[in-house]
Amino acid sequence: MKFLHPGLLWLLLVLVPLVVWYIRKQHNANPSLGVSTLKPFAKFSNSWKVWIVHFCFFLRLVCIAALIVALARPQSHDTLKNSKVLGTDIVLAMDISGSMTATDFKPTRFAAAKDVATAFVNSRQNDNMGLVVFAGESLSLMPLTNDRAALVNAIANVEMGDLNDGTAIGDGLSSAINRISQGKAKSKSIILLTDGSNNAGDVPPVTAAQIAKQKGIKIYTIGVGTNGKIQIADPYGFSSTTLETKIDEPLLTNMAKLTGGKYFRAKDERMLKHVFEEIDSLEKSSIDVNSVTLTQEEFMPWIWLAFAALALSFLLRYTVIRRIP
C-alpha cells in the first residue's frame, strides 16, 4: 500500500501532546487530602467507569488518527499479472452492408446481430477476441484483446454506412485472417456473419478460405435472414424499400467445410442466438492473459473507522458515563 500524500502522516505526531495534555488534566482534576495512612483504602479499586472515561479518550485519538491516514490517501499498488487460462482466439467478421437493415429480424438484422454478438463476447471471458466489419470493403476495428468492455463498445459503435455498400466476403475474411494470425492460442476461429453473396472486393472468398486452412484457422459461417424480397428500413425510419436477397449457402458451406468449421443458418433472432450458443462450445486451449489491476483508493475503511470510533465515544459519553449537572 502507498500513500498519495505521505507527508500528512507527520500529523500523527499531534497525538503525543494530546496524550500529555490528557494525563496532566486527569492529575490536576483529582482532589487530594493528606492522611496519615492509606491502609483503610487499600481494599478499594477504581470504578470501572473510570476506565470507560479513559477508553472514550482513546476512541477520540483513534478517530483523529484514522482521519489523518484517510487524508494521506492510501492506495493499493498497480499490478500486472500474467497467467495461463483455457481459451481460444476468435475474430468476429460482421457484414454491415445495406441489406442488414432488413426488418425480418426485429428491429433489424443488423441490430439483432449486434445484440447476439455482444452476449457472445460477454460469455467468453478467457478468450482473445477481435472484430472486423465488411460491406463493399473491409475494416479491422479491434485487434485480439481480452478487454471485454472495449470489444463490446466497439460492437455498439458500429454503424451502417461506415463503409461503401456491397458484400465483400473475401475481403472481410482476409482482414480477419490477418488479425487472428497474430494470436498465440493453438485454437483459432473466425465467425463470419453475412446475409448475402459475394459481389465486391478483391479477394475471392474461396481463396481466403484456403489461406485460413493453411494457417490452421477454422471458419464458422452464419447465413442471416430469409431469401427473397425483404424490406430495407430507411436509416431515419421514415420509409422502407423492397430488395431481393439470396444467401450464397453453397459458398458459405464450402468455406466452413474447407477449414474444418461449420455453416449455420439463422432465419430469426432465436435461431441466431442458438447458433452463437453452439459456437460457444468451441475447442479451447491454453493462452497467456495479461491482467492489469488499476490503482484503488483505500481511504474509505479509515473514514468508517473514524466514524465508528467517534460514534461509540459519544454513545458512552451520554449513556454509561453521563454526568448530571
Side-chain angles (χ1 to χ4, degrees):
M1 180 179 292
K2 292 184 178 180
F3 292 91
L4 185 62
H5 308 296
L8 292 178
L9 294 177
W10 286 103
L11 292 176
L12 291 172
L13 293 177
V14 77
L15 300 180
V16 176
L18 288 176
V19 172
V20 173
W21 168 81
Y22 181 77
I23 293 174
R24 296 192 60 175
K25 177 185 176 183
Q26 292 299 312
H27 178 75
N28 296 332
N30 294 327
S32 61
L33 176 66
V35 294
S36 59
T37 178
L38 295 176
K39 289 183 179 180
F41 304 99
K43 61 180 180 179
F44 295 103
S45 60
N46 288 335
S47 170
W48 60 272
K49 290 188 177 182
V50 174
W51 297 109
I52 295 295
V53 171
H54 298 326
F55 181 62
C56 285
F57 176 71
F58 170 75
L59 289 175
R60 291 170 185 171
L61 292 180
V62 170
C63 177
I64 295 172
L67 288 175
I68 292 173
V69 173
L71 287 173
R73 295 278 297 276
Q75 297 175 334
S76 60
H77 295 282
D78 292 347
T79 58
L80 175 62
K81 182 180 178 182
N82 182 273
S83 59
K84 288 186 176 293
V85 298
L86 289 178
T88 183
D89 291 339
I90 300 176
V91 171
L92 295 175
M94 296 181 60
D95 186 349
I96 61 169
S97 60
S99 58
M100 287 293 288
T101 59
T103 56
D104 51 347
F105 283 56
K106 299 301 179 184
T108 64
R109 293 177 181 177
F110 178 63
K114 287 174 64 172
D115 290 342
V116 176
T118 298
F120 177 76
V121 167
N122 287 326
S123 69
R124 299 188 64 91
Q125 294 298 316
N126 294 330
D127 297 325
N128 287 322
M129 303 184 72
L131 176 65
V132 169
V133 295
F134 65 92
E137 54 191 338
S138 65
L139 176 64
S140 181
L141 288 182
M142 182 67 63
L144 289 174
T145 179
N146 192 251
D147 189 339
R148 290 291 166 270
L151 189 55
V152 167
N153 285 335
I155 294 173
N157 290 329
V158 175
E159 297 293 343
M160 302 296 298
D162 288 345
L163 301 174
N164 293 329
D165 204 13
T167 307
I169 296 176
D171 286 10
L173 184 55
S174 296
S175 296
I177 293 172
N178 290 335
R179 274 303 184 195
I180 204 168
S181 296
Q182 303 169 10
K184 297 181 180 180
K186 294 180 180 179
S187 176
K188 301 179 186 295
S189 306
I190 295 173
I191 302 175
L192 188 143
L193 184 149
T194 183
D195 68 342
S197 56
N198 188 73
N199 58 20
D202 300 321
V203 182
V206 175
T207 301
Q210 290 172 342
I211 295 174
K213 179 183 178 181
Q214 293 173 359
K215 293 179 176 292
I217 303 170
K218 291 182 180 179
I219 301 174
Y220 291 85
T221 54
I222 305 174
V224 180
T226 56
N227 288 328
K229 293 183 178 181
I230 57 173
Q231 294 295 317
I232 304 297
D234 181 82
Y236 304 100
F238 295 119
S239 62
S240 63
T241 57
T242 302
L243 179 69
E244 187 161 350
T245 63
K246 183 177 182 181
I247 299 172
D248 193 344
E249 293 192 277
L251 172 64
L252 298 179
T253 302
N254 185 35
M255 291 168 56
K257 185 177 181 180
L258 185 64
T259 60
K262 188 176 179 180
Y263 168 68
F264 301 90
R265 181 66 185 275
K267 295 183 179 181
D268 54 39
E269 300 95 318
R270 182 188 59 80
M271 292 177 65
L272 182 60
K273 182 179 179 181
H274 176 72
V275 166
F276 273 95
E277 288 174 351
E278 185 171 344
I279 296 176
D280 192 38
S281 61
L282 288 170
E283 165 190 3
K284 291 179 172 60
S285 63
S286 179
I287 60 173
D288 292 324
V289 175
N290 291 322
S291 300
V292 178
T293 302
L294 301 178
T295 299
Q296 297 291 329
E297 296 286 351
E298 304 291 350
F299 63 87
M300 280 307 299
W302 296 96
I303 296 293
W304 283 112
L305 175 61
F307 175 78
L310 186 63
L312 181 57
S313 173
F314 276 110
L315 180 64
L316 295 174
R317 175 79 176 174
Y318 292 102
T319 55
V320 178
I321 56 174
R322 182 180 180 181
R323 295 181 180 179
I324 301 176

